[in-house]
């Protein structure tokens, strides 16, 4: 059904907007990509690639096709593919927000995480505030809150960090643990997973910094973490090499 709607949309665009009409090659490409997303026999990899290609087409027709798939609960595989494409490469349009929110907060568990990751790529249109609202709402289902909290580890925004720090004290232990994991992943400070007091002190020192300084500090943390990991890996390789040499020397 959604494929038929998309094909009709292509025709209507070509007829009503001759100055921006699609070339035959463009029509064929959009038709092929639409069929790949519609076909239940296609692999998830093929669907994801098709969705990414459509995202990279800055045309209203491509946006309408993607929005149609996001809004179609009868084709879960296509919904997931489009959401995963947005989460991977960005390029989300305002028209995608409401369908993604429906996926995140709906009853179908399989589409929540892809929708959350996709929404985390939006920097405006009030998306961050809505994610924070969902994550911190005790009236929401635990499953929806947990997925939303997990998606917030990809949101480099002080509102998201502040919400995650507040959620460390949530009465629901699963929510508290999820917030700690997301905060550790976002800041690249693994100790936050087990030391809530440390996380709170860190945020008390950093929450009043401007965005550029705060992001610079996070970048420094990431550099230090990678350097530490390189040192640890080097030491591990040295120990492994010594163990292999000792084994060789003691073997007849």
């Amino acid at each position: 059904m959604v494929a038929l709607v998309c094909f009709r949309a292509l025709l209507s665009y070509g007829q009503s907007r001759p100055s921006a009409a699609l070339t035959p090659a463009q029509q064929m490409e959009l038709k092929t990509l639409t069929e790949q997303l519609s076909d239940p026999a296609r692999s998830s990899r093929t669907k994801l690639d098709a969705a990414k290609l459509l995202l990279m087409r800055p045309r209203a027709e491509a946006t309408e096709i993607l929005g149609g798939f996001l809004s179609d609960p009868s084709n879960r595989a296509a919904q997931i593919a489009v959401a995963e494409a947005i989460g991977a490469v960005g390029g989300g349009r305002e028209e995608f927000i409401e369908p993604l929110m429906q996926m995140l907060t709906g009853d179908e568990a399989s589409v929540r995480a892809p929708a959350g990751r996709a929404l985390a790529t939006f920097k405006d249109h009030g998306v961050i505030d809505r994610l924070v609202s969902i994550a911190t709402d005790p009236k929401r289902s635990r499953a929806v809150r947990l997925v939303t909290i997990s998606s917030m580890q990809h949101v480099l925004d002080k509102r998201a960090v502040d919400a995650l720090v507040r959620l460390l004290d949530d009465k629901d232990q699963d929510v508290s643990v999820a917030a700690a994991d997301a905060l550790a992943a976002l800041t690249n400070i693994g100790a936050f997973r087990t030391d809530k007091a440390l996380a709170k002190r860190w945020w008390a020192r950093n929450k009043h910094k401007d965005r550029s300084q705060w992001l610079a500090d996070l970048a420094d943390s990431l550099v230090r973490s990678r350097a530490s990991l390189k040192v640890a890996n080097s030491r591990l390789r040295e120990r492994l090499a010594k163990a292999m040499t000792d084994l060789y020397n003691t073997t007849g």
Side-chain angles (χ1 to χ4, degrees):
M1 177 61 72
V2 71
L4 179 59
V5 172
C6 292
F7 295 155
R8 288 175 176 170
L10 295 181
L11 291 175
S12 66
Y13 269 100
Q15 293 170 355
S16 61
R17 298 171 61 189
S19 62
L22 294 168
T23 67
Q26 289 173 328
Q27 291 188 42
M28 179 57 67
E29 180 191 45
L30 292 182
K31 180 176 182 293
T32 299
L33 296 175
T34 301
E35 289 174 343
Q36 289 175 348
L37 279 166
S38 301
D39 187 354
R42 295 284 186 165
S43 69
S44 58
R45 179 73 248 181
T46 297
K47 292 179 183 295
L48 178 59
D49 288 342
K52 287 181 178 179
L53 287 171
L54 284 168
L55 269 176
M56 291 186 286
R57 301 297 181 262
R59 298 189 64 94
E61 296 89 338
T63 297
E64 184 165 336
I65 291 170
L66 291 167
F69 282 114
L70 283 175
S71 302
D72 182 16
S74 68
N75 191 342
R76 296 297 187 191
Q79 278 188 313
I80 292 171
V82 175
E84 287 182 340
I86 297 170
V89 302
R93 282 71 148 173
E94 185 176 2
E95 297 91 331
F96 301 159
I97 294 174
E98 291 308 320
L100 287 169
M101 283 290 177
Q102 290 294 323
M103 292 166 62
L104 175 64
T105 60
D107 296 328
E108 176 56 41
S110 66
V111 301
R112 286 184 192 137
R117 288 191 293 271
L119 287 165
T121 66
F122 285 82
K123 308 305 179 188
D124 48 17
H125 306 300
V127 172
I128 295 174
D129 289 332
R130 293 178 69 177
L131 290 176
V132 168
S133 178
I134 294 169
T136 57
D137 186 357
K139 295 180 181 180
R140 292 276 186 179
S141 75
R142 175 187 292 169
V144 171
R145 292 184 72 193
L146 292 177
V147 170
T148 305
I149 291 168
S150 179
S151 71
M152 287 166 62
Q153 68 182 275
H154 305 292
V155 181
L156 286 173
D157 188 281
K158 294 171 72 172
R159 288 168 291 177
V161 178
D162 188 71
L164 291 174
V165 172
R166 287 187 281 115
L167 286 170
L168 294 175
D169 292 326
D170 197 273
K171 295 179 180 179
D172 188 324
Q173 185 176 3
D174 289 340
V175 169
S176 176
V177 170
D181 286 342
L183 187 62
L186 190 154
T187 61
N188 202 49
I189 303 176
F192 289 172
R193 289 189 171 88
T194 56
D195 194 335
K196 296 180 182 179
L198 177 65
K200 293 175 184 178
R201 290 196 300 271
W202 170 84
W203 186 232
R205 293 193 306 268
N206 286 275
K207 64 181 179 180
H208 297 300
K209 294 179 179 178
D210 60 42
R211 176 177 172 80
S212 59
Q213 181 59 52
W214 177 66
L215 291 177
D217 290 344
L218 284 184
D220 288 341
S221 173
L222 179 59
V223 170
R224 289 193 301 270
S225 176
R226 288 180 174 175
S228 177
L229 182 61
K230 285 183 178 180
V231 171
N233 286 340
S234 177
R235 290 173 178 170
L236 179 61
R237 287 194 296 270
E238 290 174 0
R239 291 198 299 269
L240 180 60
K242 185 178 184 302
M244 294 297 292
T245 300
D246 293 342
L247 178 62
Y248 177 80
N249 290 335
T250 57
T251 301

